[in-house]
Amino acid sequence: MWKHIVRKEDTVVDATCGNGHDTLAMVKLVVDESNRGCVYGMDIQNIAVENTSLLLDALLNPNERKLVKLFNACHSRMEDIVPKCTSVRLVAFNLGYLPGGDKAVITLSETTLPALEAASGILAPGGLISVIVYVGHPGGMKELETVQAFASGLPVDDWVCSKFEMINRQMAPLLVILFKK
Amino acid sequence: MWKHIVRKEDTVVDATCGNGHDTLAMVKLVVDESNRGCVYGMDIQNIAVENTSLLLDALLNPNERKLVKLFNACHSRMEDIVPKCTSVRLVAFNLGYLPGGDKAVITLSETTLPALEAASGILAPGGLISVIVYVGHPGGMKELETVQAFASGLPVDDWVCSKFEMINRQMAPLLVILFKK
């Protein structure tokens, strides 16, 4: 879905870097010879930012690596990190806990909601917010409710909000997509 | 999604022809110079079969038109219509009432369930059942429950069953996708 939306030289945001796999994929989507694309990555856990940085250092060339700006910060602080008037094409959330990390440290509705509000504000028309919600851990269902409540309240004239879920595998992660017209 | 699954020369089934727009789209997906593709179309309402036939006559060339076999029959009779041992790549359902037709005549859970069972039986591995469910009319919610119950019972080792729905437009139609591994 990202490939249908993101173009070379775009600015995009990985709101929850985790181990950096999405950040890496985003760089590949925005990079071209001009080196004008930009990826803002953030994570509240320092170990996640370090893991992301290591992954990018290993798999990107120096010009690609320069396109990424990493921040050890909560995704609810997105508006402080992304410069004002930046036209953002994609904001991606991967909620839950850090794979391989401390499962007691999870994203919480209290910060996910302001982060979604911030994302909806900085997103350019024609842009996308994608949210993966893991419902198989404690707190996951509450987070899904938060994301759904936010999405269902966005005006239908300006947003297409949809949910994609597996129905023959219990507790499978869900994808929520918020497209700004 | 159909385009990712259906190949030239495939056999596909439009289980609910309606006014024929999906049938037409299916022909375009399977046709090539060999004229070996095949589209089975069925609808319980004779007027729907007539509308579909008129649309296809108007918009297909004679070779394309020959690929379509239309039947005035309930979708639950699919197994009688599609020859045994046919390897079917796609079965599409568009549930609810005929657009522009009698809104009192709707697809019913009692026939939709056996139709889904038949479709799952004739589908080839790598094939897809797509179901559009309109929940905005009386009986629509019951039909969604029927489709979901059927899909959620398919074994996860053999099927990927998913649901796609809008969440900021009430009563929007839903898409249920059953992919046979």
Side-chain angles (χ1 to χ4, degrees), chain B residues 82-142:
Chain B
V82 180
K84 283 199 197 325
C85 305
T86 305
S87 181
V88 174
R89 187 88 64 187
L90 169 70
V91 182
F93 292 85
N94 222 316
L95 303 179
Y97 54 80
L98 176 68
D102 183 354
K103 291 189 180 183
V105 182
I106 57 171
T107 53
L108 293 169
S109 300
E110 290 72 21
T111 52
T112 297
L113 181 58
L116 286 169
E117 285 166 349
S120 67
I122 64 174
L123 199 73
L128 191 79
I129 300 171
S130 74
V131 189
I132 300 275
V133 190
Y134 296 85
V135 290
H137 69 92
M141 277 298 180
K142 186 173 177 220

Side-chain angles (χ1 to χ4, degrees), chain A residues 91-169:
Chain A
V91 183
F93 292 86
N94 223 316
L95 302 179
Y97 54 80
L98 176 68
D102 182 353
K103 291 191 180 181
V105 183
I106 57 170
T107 53
L108 293 169
S109 301
E110 289 71 23
T111 52
T112 297
L113 181 58
L116 286 169
E117 284 166 349
S120 67
I122 64 174
L123 200 72
L128 191 78
I129 300 171
S130 74
V131 189
I132 300 276
V133 190
Y134 295 85
V135 290
H137 71 91
M141 277 299 179
K142 185 173 177 222
E143 203 157 49
L144 175 62
E145 283 166 23
T146 300
V147 174
Q148 283 200 134
F150 175 77
S152 63
L154 288 173
V156 71
D157 285 345
D158 301 323
W159 292 85
V160 179
C161 301
S162 52
K163 182 174 71 163
F164 194 67
E165 63 187 303
M166 276 191 70
I167 49 181
N168 69 331
R169 188 157 73 82

Side-chain angles (χ1 to χ4, degrees), chain B residues 2 14 16-27 39 41-43 47-56 59-60 68 70 94 98-99:
Chain B
W2 293 355
D14 188 348
T16 48
C17 284
N19 290 319
H21 300 286
D22 283 355
T23 325
L24 177 67
M26 287 178 175
V27 176
V39 180
M42 59 202 75
D43 204 293
I47 181 72
V49 177
E50 284 174 10
N51 288 353
T52 299
S53 191
L54 284 171
L55 187 80
L56 301 180
L59 297 177
L60 296 179
V68 188
L70 293 178
N94 222 316
L98 176 68

Side-chain angles (χ1 to χ4, degrees), chain A residues 19-83:
Chain A
N19 291 317
H21 300 287
D22 284 356
T23 324
L24 177 67
M26 287 178 174
V27 177
K28 297 296 185 184
L29 290 178
V30 302
V31 69
D32 70 359
E33 313 78 50
S34 76
N35 291 316
R36 266 189 293 218
C38 185
V39 180
Y40 290 92
M42 60 202 76
D43 203 293
I44 195 166
Q45 294 190 68
N46 192 43
I47 181 72
V49 177
E50 284 174 9
N51 289 352
T52 298
S53 191
L54 284 171
L55 186 81
L56 300 180
D57 291 345
L59 297 176
L60 295 178
N61 68 44
N63 281 335
E64 290 172 328
R65 181 66 186 81
K66 277 184 209 152
L67 304 184
V68 187
K69 300 184 201 320
L70 294 178
F71 298 85
N72 181 196
C74 177
H75 53 358
S76 62
R77 287 192 43 225
M78 193 179 307
E79 281 168 309
D80 302 333
I81 289 169
V82 180

